[in-house]
């Protein structure tokens, strides 16, 4: 989602830039690059997911050049590659997308936080919670992690956007977000369906590529 920050909020803007830069730096520093490079199929999948996500985000609906709604699909990225690689891939995808749309500018750090870091963190946290449940079933991972996790990540983006506008005291942007907030409700099911479907397909046909999925936990324990 694209947000327009009032230019007078310089201190808040630079704070957001610093936070986004630190998070991406830590993600890149601690990402399991060795494991990614060890399997060519996973490596090619990561490159393809990065490019695919950049073009996938071109499918968006713009609202007066202040808001732009589009499917995130970051939940699937997180389930397949883990939080660290998902954040780095999302950052590259957003950079490519911004260049293609000619929108690479001062709003990039904010878009990075809302479009990549927030949904990836929520999705990773939700999977972390699922892994600590006593009920271990593959459908819980696919429907819970893919479907519900994606909807929760989208809700988190909405809440963070509202919080950001409140902190910035941007009345015009707040009013517009409130006016078009119902679009988020309309996007919840499609977001969940897209991520749930992609997660299910990957687990069925390419389970070895899904980093957060474990056959022993979700299948063998139920035999």
């Amino acid at each position: 989602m694209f947000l327009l920050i009032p230019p007078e909020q310089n201190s808040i803007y630079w704070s957001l830039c610093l936070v986004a830069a630190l998070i991406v730096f830590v993600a890149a520093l601690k990402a399991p690059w060795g494991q990614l490079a060890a399997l060519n199929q996973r490596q090619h999948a990561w490159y393809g997911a990065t490019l695919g996500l950049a073009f996938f985000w071109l499918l968006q609906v713009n609202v007066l050049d202040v808001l732009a709604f589009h499917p995130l699909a970051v939940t699937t990225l997180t389930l397949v590659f883990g939080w660290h690689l998902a954040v780095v891939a999302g950052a590259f995808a957003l950079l490519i997308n911004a260049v293609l749309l000619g929108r690479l500018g001062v709003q990039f750090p904010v878009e990075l936080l809302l479009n990549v870091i927030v949904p990836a963190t929520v999705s990773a946290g939700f999977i972390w919670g699922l892994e600590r449940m006593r009920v271990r079933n593959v459908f819980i991972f696919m429907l819970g992690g893919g479907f519900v996790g994606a909807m929760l990540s989208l809700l988190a983006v909405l809440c963070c956007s509202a919080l950001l506008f409140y902190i910035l005291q941007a009345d015009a942007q707040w009013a517009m977000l409130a006016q078009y907030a119902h679009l988020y409700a309309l996007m919840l099911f499609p977001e969940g369906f897209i991520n749930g479907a992609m997660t299910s397909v990957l687990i069925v046909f390419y389970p070895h590529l899904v980093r957060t999925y474990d056959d022993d936990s979700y299948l063998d324990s139920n035999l």
Side-chain angles (χ1 to χ4, degrees), residues 157-176:
V157 172
L158 174 61
C159 294
C160 290
S161 303
L163 178 62
L164 180 61
F165 284 149
Y166 176 78
I167 294 175
L168 294 174
Q169 296 182 349
D171 296 334
Q173 287 84 347
W174 174 273
M176 181 167 292

Side-chain angles (χ1 to χ4, degrees), residues 81-118:
F81 300 105
W83 183 84
H84 297 90
L85 288 173
V87 169
V88 177
F92 279 122
L94 185 63
L95 179 62
I96 296 171
N97 180 267
V99 171
L100 291 176
L101 293 178
R103 205 176 61 207
L104 182 61
V106 296
Q107 307 300 324
F108 182 80
V110 180
E111 295 184 47
L112 179 59
L113 283 171
L114 293 176
N115 288 344
V116 178
I117 295 175
V118 169

Side-chain angles (χ1 to χ4, degrees), residues 11-220:
S11 60
I12 296 177
Y13 168 75
W14 289 113
S15 298
L16 293 175
C17 289
L18 180 60
V19 170
L22 286 175
I23 292 176
V24 174
F25 175 77
V26 171
L29 187 65
K30 295 190 174 183
W33 299 110
Q35 297 180 27
L36 183 66
L39 185 62
N40 288 334
Q41 193 174 11
R42 181 179 289 123
Q43 187 178 137
H44 295 158
W46 188 75
Y47 293 144
T50 302
L51 290 175
L53 193 63
F55 288 99
F56 185 64
W57 281 345
L58 293 175
L59 303 174
Q60 63 182 24
V61 178
N62 296 312
V63 181
L64 299 179
D65 294 328
V66 176
L67 298 176
F69 298 91
H70 59 74
L72 295 176
V74 176
T75 297
T76 302
L77 197 67
T78 306
L79 294 178
V80 174
F81 300 105
W83 183 84
H84 297 90
L85 288 173
V87 169
V88 177
F92 279 122
L94 185 63
L95 179 62
I96 296 171
N97 180 267
V99 171
L100 291 176
L101 293 178
R103 205 176 61 207
L104 182 61
V106 296
Q107 307 300 324
F108 182 80
V110 180
E111 295 184 47
L112 179 59
L113 283 171
L114 293 176
N115 288 344
V116 178
I117 295 175
V118 169
T121 302
V122 172
S123 299
F126 189 70
I127 287 297
W128 181 85
L130 287 180
E131 290 177 347
R132 278 145 187 82
M133 292 178 58
R134 293 187 177 182
V135 180
R136 312 288 286 181
N137 188 283
V138 64
F139 293 103
I140 291 180
F141 184 88
M142 292 188 296
L143 298 180
F147 187 83
V148 179
M151 291 195 295
L152 289 177
S153 67
L154 190 59
L155 284 175
V157 172
L158 174 61
C159 294
C160 290
S161 303
L163 178 62
L164 180 61
F165 284 149
Y166 176 78
I167 294 175
L168 294 174
Q169 296 182 349
D171 296 334
Q173 287 84 347
W174 174 273
M176 181 167 292
L177 182 63
Q179 181 180 358
Y180 293 99
H182 64 280
L183 293 179
Y184 271 93
L186 296 176
M187 290 178 62
L188 283 178
F189 183 81
E191 181 72 25
F193 178 80
I194 291 172
N195 287 271
M198 290 191 295
T199 302
S200 301
V201 170
L202 288 171
I203 290 176
V204 171
F205 294 102
Y206 307 99
H208 59 287
L209 293 180
V210 183
R211 178 177 174 81
T212 58
Y213 177 71
D214 183 8
D215 284 336
D216 294 334
S217 298
Y218 289 95
L219 290 179
D220 291 352

